[in-house]
Amino acid sequence: MSREKGDIHRFPGDVIDGTRCSYDNPTNICVLGKCETVGCDRKLHSTKEFDNCGVCDGDNTHCKTIKGTFDKPPRPGNTIPDSDEELDTQYQEVVVLPKGAWNIEVFETTPSPHFIVLKNAETGVFALKDQGTQETLLHFVEAGTRWTYLRSSDSETLGTKGPLLQAIVVLIDPKGLEPSTLAYKYVIHEDLFPSVNNNVIPGGSPDEYIWVMKSWTMCSKSCGGGIQYTRYSCKRKSDDKAMNTRLCNKDERPAALRRECNIHSCKEARWSVDPWEHCSKTCGMEGYQIRTVRCVRPTPDNSSIEPVHHKHCSEEKPANRQPCNRIPCPSFWRTGAWSECSVSCDQGLRERQVVCQGPGNKPWDVDDAVHCLDKKPPTSQVCIRDPCPEDSCTGDQSIFCQLDVLARYCSIPGYQKLCCHSCRRFQHAPTLPSTPANHTAADESVGTHTSSRQAQ
């Protein structure tokens, strides 16, 4: 496996028998070109394995679990320079993982902007650094073992099964002045324990983590007899601070205690209704109001009531919503000022705006004008101006004005204005055809259509 890229390369020929062929099982070796299972007793196909600290077929009785946290803020004097680059990069040392360490975990207890850095204590080579802020899953080999690095949601995790063939320094690349939130743990044989220097980390102190009772779970039933269990949290013994549960020994976690709860009968449950809230509208056809409806029962000491699941109330649930204020809104027609007459002389039209005024002097939309029950005032009316002067005639505005059969329409103001010249001529003629007494708009329409056909 490539140290820089993590690529796996296959060789065309067989490697020497006895060469290690697995990072997951450090005793497996190559035999005649195949990776064979070898037990920790060095026997082929043996099922014996190392325990958590490297004792063959052991029971972990000689293992010591070393745990610690590092929550110091970056500050001058608490960092070391990057020794293999010319850049002035300062790292913060967390812990030295000793040679022979097994089952190593390094992780952030809370997200932080800092980055985990690994450095080989013997060679000075950096095995992990500058991974950036993107989500990353990385496998690499260092100190004779394969590591797994994961960055997700601004949090980093690093681990390996081990054992370490060389000591590894865990550092932090600080990005800002926020305190670090790094935790670590590993397992080591008790014979190697004194070399760990009593688990003292730079700027820190020995840590011990214990399980403490946190609370009881919610009762499985709200009445009729339920069950609840104890919940435990992991705390640092030195300051009673809650920590990640991975720092406490899972084998030492107390068994959950069990007790009965809410043993009172469910038959006493009933519906409790609150007063109706204010209506959403003061008038119209869209108003509604709501209220809270709950299923409740008396507490065991009958001092108060408490909510329970609605299935315990046998009666039909009261309504929690109803219509209200479904009455017509007070409205009236509001008229605007008349416009100027459409003509300067003779007969024309003038117009005005008419709206249905609703509550708060706000006009209704056109579709809501039904709120005004009275008849709508007119929006236009005829306006009569002074007769137009004789000399205002500039000539006929249609060639059909000269037809004698249309002379009878000269008594209509609109036609007289359209054909002012011809109407004057007809007025001075000896005999002027009269307009029939029963002349109607239909006659005018017929006359117009007749003229149109003649024009065609």
Side-chain angles (χ1 to χ4, degrees), residues 283-284 329-331 355-359 362-369 371-372:
C283 60
C329 294
S331 306
V355 296
C356 183
Q357 199 80 4
K362 294 182 179 179
W364 289 102
D365 293 335
V366 176
D367 297 335
D368 293 329
H371 294 295
C372 288

Side-chain angles (χ1 to χ4, degrees), residues 92-106:
Q92 196 171 14
E93 185 172 338
V94 177
V95 67
V96 177
L97 303 175
K99 179 180 178 180
W102 290 72
N103 299 304
I104 300 168
E105 290 184 57
V106 181

Side-chain angles (χ1 to χ4, degrees), residues 38-49:
V38 178
C40 62
D41 56 356
R42 303 295 180 182
K43 293 182 180 180
L44 194 63
H45 305 305
S46 171
T47 59
K48 292 185 178 182
E49 297 180 347

Side-chain angles (χ1 to χ4, degrees), residues 317-349:
K317 183 178 180 180
N320 63 351
R321 178 183 174 120
Q322 70 176 8
C324 56
N325 293 343
R326 300 293 176 92
I327 57 177
C329 294
S331 306
F332 60 92
W333 293 107
R334 186 166 187 172
T335 58
W338 287 108
S339 65
E340 293 290 335
C341 192
S342 60
V343 297
S344 59
C345 60
D346 288 340
Q347 179 178 310
L349 288 177

Side-chain angles (χ1 to χ4, degrees), residues 144-211:
T145 185
R146 182 171 61 181
W147 299 74
T148 298
Y149 170 83
L150 174 63
R151 179 174 184 85
S152 177
S153 301
D154 299 327
S155 180
E156 295 177 290
T157 303
L158 179 68
T160 182
K161 181 179 180 180
L164 294 184
L165 302 184
Q166 297 169 313
I168 293 292
V169 182
V170 179
L171 308 106
I172 290 177
D173 182 3
K175 302 296 181 182
L177 300 178
E178 297 182 21
S180 304
T181 56
L182 207 61
Y184 65 89
K185 68 175 182 177
Y186 61 89
V187 182
I188 196 165
H189 194 278
E190 61 184 1
D191 293 343
L192 300 175
F193 183 64
S195 64
V196 182
N197 194 22
N198 295 323
N199 191 28
V200 176
I201 61 177
S205 58
D207 289 323
E208 184 177 355
Y209 304 91
I210 57 175
W211 293 103

Side-chain angles (χ1 to χ4, degrees), residues 78-137:
N78 197 26
T79 56
I80 59 175
D82 183 343
S83 59
D84 70 342
E85 291 187 359
E86 295 180 358
L87 297 177
D88 187 19
T89 303
Q90 299 289 319
Y91 296 121
Q92 196 171 14
E93 185 172 338
V94 177
V95 67
V96 177
L97 303 175
K99 179 180 178 180
W102 290 72
N103 299 304
I104 300 168
E105 290 184 57
V106 181
F107 55 93
E108 288 182 308
T109 57
T110 57
S112 77
H114 313 307
F115 298 131
I116 297 177
V117 176
L118 282 192
K119 181 178 181 180
N120 192 307
E122 298 183 16
T123 65
V125 175
F126 284 86
L128 175 72
K129 69 174 182 176
D130 300 333
Q131 293 306 312
T133 59
Q134 299 296 323
E135 292 191 2
T136 304
L137 175 62

